[in-house]
Amino acid sequence: MHEHQHNQRTAAAKAFIESLDQLQNILAQESQTAESEYQGSDVHSAEHPSDLKLLEDAAADLDNFFGEQESLEE
């Protein structure tokens, strides 16, 4: 039973990490699109740089999380 629970937890953790990978990819694509639109527009809103910074911070947090998870799995 213990091994079965361990296998389920491992599978759940892997599925969670894959979901976070997908989220990170989506955020990176949106960040690139937003940056392109921001650079291409004539009128720049003060909100865009802070929004981009938040996305970059979130992506950095995800990178740190995945790095910690990979080191734990090894």
Side-chain angles (χ1 to χ4, degrees), residues 1-71:
M1 170 113 177
H2 177 69
E3 185 176 333
H4 179 68
Q5 279 184 325
H6 178 70
N7 291 342
Q8 284 183 324
R9 287 181 181 166
T10 301
K14 286 181 180 180
F16 179 72
I17 290 172
E18 288 174 7
S19 295
L20 288 178
D21 279 336
Q22 291 173 355
L23 176 60
Q24 184 178 19
N25 290 336
I26 290 168
L27 290 175
Q29 289 172 353
E30 288 179 0
S31 175
Q32 290 173 352
T33 301
E35 186 174 342
S36 297
E37 289 173 359
Y38 175 73
Q39 290 176 348
S41 67
D42 292 335
V43 179
H44 296 135
S45 166
E47 294 177 23
H48 288 291
S50 62
D51 290 345
L52 183 59
K53 177 69 172 138
L54 288 174
L55 288 173
E56 290 172 345
D57 289 346
D61 289 342
L62 289 171
D63 285 338
N64 288 336
F65 174 79
F66 291 131
E68 291 173 4
Q69 289 298 317
E70 289 174 1
S71 66

